[in-house]
């Protein structure tokens, strides 16, 4: 099923022409309404008249999260406050929060793009869809919520917390779809099992997961325990929120709604463009946003892009899964380490549950990596609560990690349910090296 066949299946040349027209308009819009961009462009000797095709995007400056924080709260807003009908914000855990304002048109575009995502997953107006992302300043809850309503399905605004009640409602109402973080999906599965609710008692068929990294092993785990087909959803509040890209039933990359969000892949060091198929940092330009459109926003998410048509019929560019972060990656003893690499190793081993924590520390002048992972309940019950089996498993995991990461790691096998759970974004890494 396709929600907007005209745009989602548009021929490439026609799409490029549309993107070029919209790029010119958005540059003209921010030039006249955002002093930050006008100053930047004037310093570079660029005017809106220099941007005529989508290829001219390379003439434009990049935008970073620090630019948003330095212009806190409304310095990058283009629309007057009288036109802003909603404000979202990031957590601000590493500085001032990033404030994003939306006009009524922005909310309409967001809802339409989210309806495209849901349709690609197989959701129809006959479904009951539970939204278990957090509601509030985080864009996840309301972003998906409005898309479900736009599609015409019944939305269950469950949010996070009170998980036992949520499980009962999923069962009793016959919910057929759910959106949440992948870690919360596993928490739901654990809660179901604790409550004695069998998988056959629920009607969930589609799971939509995003907001944190997850691997194919984690996808299989979720599908097995919840009985759903698990799909990826990608977005970021600075560009819009959930809906920037979405998997279809082919699950061969995530389609980017590129009539609204123009994607690039760059080398995170040289900032030069990377070819299709090459891994690099994702950069997005808002093509239609009114509230706070951004030019060449550096996401720091690492992925690759293909523009080959998909078997589903959509012609949108497709991005790979996010394989890490160009800024948040761990550099340990000169080696780049991504949590997703560790997770792939852990979930390839039947004894390990999908619950882990990476602790990076410094002893003297040497960086250390400690990996804590829970053992599955069935293995724990078979004697893993004694020292020898745990030690043997720790050695086995350490050996596999060394072969993948090229560095050694200390491994601590933990009892089931001993690593702290999260109902929002899970914390997978604690880096103690910067703590005095």
């Amino acid at each position: 099923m396709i929600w907007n066949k005209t745009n989602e299946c548009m021929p490439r040349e026609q799409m490029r022409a549309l993107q070029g027209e919209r790029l010119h308009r958005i540059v003209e819009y921010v030039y006249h309404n955002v002093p930050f961009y006008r100053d930047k462009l004037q310093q570079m000797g660029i005017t809106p008249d220099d941007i005529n095709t989508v290829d001219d995007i390379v003439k434009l400056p990049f935008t970073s999260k620090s630019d948003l924080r330095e212009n806190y709260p409304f310095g990058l807003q283009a629309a007057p406050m009288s036109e802003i009908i909603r404000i979202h914000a990031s957590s601000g855990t590493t500085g001032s929060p990033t404030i994003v304002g939306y006009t009524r048109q922005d909310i309409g575009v967001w809802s339409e793009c989210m309806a495209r995502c849901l349709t690609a997953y197989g959701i129809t107006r006959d479904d009951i869809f539970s939204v278990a992302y957090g509601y509030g300043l985080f864009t996840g809850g309301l972003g998906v919520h409005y898309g479900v309503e736009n599609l015409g399905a019944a939305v269950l605004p469950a949010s996070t917390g009170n998980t036992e009640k949520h499980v009962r409602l999923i069962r009793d109402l016959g919910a057929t779809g759910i959106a949440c973080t992948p870690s919360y999906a596993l928490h739901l599965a654990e809660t179901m099992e604790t409550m004695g609710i069998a998988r056959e008692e629920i009607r969930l068929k589609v799971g939509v997961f995003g907001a944190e990294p997850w691997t194919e092993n984690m996808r299989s785990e979720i599908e097995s325990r919840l009985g759903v087909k698990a799909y990826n959803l990608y977005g970021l509040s600075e560009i819009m929120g959930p809906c920037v890209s979405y998997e279809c039933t082919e699950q061969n990359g995530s389609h980017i709604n590129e009539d609204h969000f123009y994607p690039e892949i760059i080398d995170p060091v040289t900032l030069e463009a990377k070819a299709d198929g090459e891994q690099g940092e994702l950069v997005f330009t808002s093509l239609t946003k009114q509230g706070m459109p951004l030019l060449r926003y550096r996401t720091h998410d690492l992925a690759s892009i293909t523009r080959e048509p998909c078997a589903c019929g959509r012609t949108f560019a497709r991005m790979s899964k996010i394989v890490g972060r160009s800024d948040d990656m761990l550099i340990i003893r000169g080696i780049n380490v991504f949590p997703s690499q560790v997770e792939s190793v852990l979930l390839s081993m039947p004894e390990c549950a999908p619950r882990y924590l990476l602790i990076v520390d410094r002893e003297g002048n040497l960086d250390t990596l400690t990996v804590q992972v829970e053992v599955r309940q069935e293995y724990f019950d078979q004697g893993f609560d004694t020292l020898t089996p745990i030690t043997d498993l720790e050695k086995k995991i350490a050996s596999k990690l060394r072969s993948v990461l090229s560095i050694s790691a200390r491994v601590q096998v933990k009892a089931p349910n001993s690593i702290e759970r999260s109902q929002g974004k899970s914390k997978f890494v604690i880096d103690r090296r910067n703590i005095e």
Side-chain angles (χ1 to χ4, degrees), residues 174-204:
T176 49
I178 187 170
C180 60
T181 62
S183 58
Y184 188 62
L186 289 171
H187 180 59
L188 279 171
E190 290 174 351
T191 303
M192 283 173 50
E193 292 158 8
T194 300
M195 294 171 65
I197 295 177
R199 200 182 78 173
E200 293 72 26
E201 294 181 61
I202 63 172
R203 295 179 58 195
L204 288 176

Side-chain angles (χ1 to χ4, degrees), residues 399-412:
S399 177
K400 287 200 172 189
L401 287 173
R402 191 181 309 112
S403 67
V404 171
L405 305 178
S406 299
I407 62 169
S408 59
R410 299 169 182 167
V411 177
Q412 297 175 352

Side-chain angles (χ1 to χ4, degrees), residues 115-328:
R116 297 178 187 182
C117 306
L118 294 163
T119 302
Y121 305 141
I123 298 298
T124 72
R125 61 184 298 112
D126 297 321
D127 284 293
I128 298 174
F129 197 91
S130 176
V131 179
Y133 284 122
Y135 281 66
L137 293 176
F138 174 57
T139 56
L142 286 170
V144 178
H145 182 117
Y146 272 58
V148 176
E149 288 189 340
N150 190 34
L151 179 66
V155 61
L156 177 63
S159 191
T160 57
N162 207 343
T163 305
E164 289 191 5
K165 180 179 180 181
H166 186 189
V167 168
R168 291 191 188 95
L169 286 173
I170 288 173
R171 179 194 62 189
D172 297 345
L173 300 181
T176 49
I178 187 170
C180 60
T181 62
S183 58
Y184 188 62
L186 289 171
H187 180 59
L188 279 171
E190 290 174 351
T191 303
M192 283 173 50
E193 292 158 8
T194 300
M195 294 171 65
I197 295 177
R199 200 182 78 173
E200 293 72 26
E201 294 181 61
I202 63 172
R203 295 179 58 195
L204 288 176
K205 62 179 183 179
V206 171
V208 180
F209 308 113
E212 63 187 20
W214 58 306
T215 62
E216 290 303 313
N217 286 328
M218 203 166 185
R219 189 201 299 264
S220 298
E221 175 89 8
I222 293 169
E223 290 183 338
S224 172
R225 295 175 72 176
L226 286 181
V228 298
K229 186 69 174 172
Y231 293 97
N232 193 48
L233 175 65
Y234 174 81
L236 58 165
S237 61
E238 295 87 351
I239 296 301
M240 184 63 82
C243 82
V244 173
S245 75
Y246 56 96
E247 282 186 317
C248 65
T249 52
E250 296 294 324
Q251 294 188 312
N252 187 22
S254 293
H255 296 275
I256 300 169
N257 281 309
E258 57 172 324
D259 52 338
H260 296 288
F261 322 113
Y262 183 77
E264 299 175 82
I265 295 286
I266 64 168
D267 184 302
V269 177
T270 67
L271 306 185
E272 295 295 319
K274 304 277 279 186
D276 284 2
E278 293 184 344
Q279 184 176 296
E281 181 183 332
L282 265 172
V283 173
F284 283 105
T285 295
S286 310
L287 295 178
T288 59
K289 201 172 184 186
Q290 293 182 330
M292 194 186 78
L294 299 181
L295 304 180
R296 305 190 81 189
Y297 180 71
R298 295 187 59 184
T299 69
H300 291 289
D301 287 331
L302 298 177
S304 61
I305 284 179
T306 178
R307 289 177 171 82
E308 293 296 318
C310 181
C312 73
R314 293 173 179 83
T315 55
F316 279 163
R318 283 171 287 145
M319 56 181 273
S320 69
K321 265 198 168 183
I322 303 301
V323 297
R325 298 273 299 173
S326 63
D327 57 348
D328 293 341

Side-chain angles (χ1 to χ4, degrees), residues 63-132:
T63 309
S64 67
K65 187 176 283 288
S66 63
D67 292 326
L68 274 68
R69 289 178 174 144
E70 289 168 10
N71 287 277
Y72 174 87
F74 300 121
L76 291 185
Q77 186 170 292
M81 188 54 67
S82 60
E83 298 296 320
I84 299 297
I85 67 167
R86 191 194 299 172
I87 296 172
H88 283 284
S90 72
S91 61
T93 54
T94 57
S96 298
T98 55
I99 303 297
V100 185
Y102 299 78
T103 66
R104 192 171 302 279
Q105 177 179 297
D106 293 338
I107 297 299
V109 168
W110 191 359
S111 301
E112 201 267 347
C113 286
M114 192 62 229
R116 297 178 187 182
C117 306
L118 294 163
T119 302
Y121 305 141
I123 298 298
T124 72
R125 61 184 298 112
D126 297 321
D127 284 293
I128 298 174
F129 197 91
S130 176
V131 179

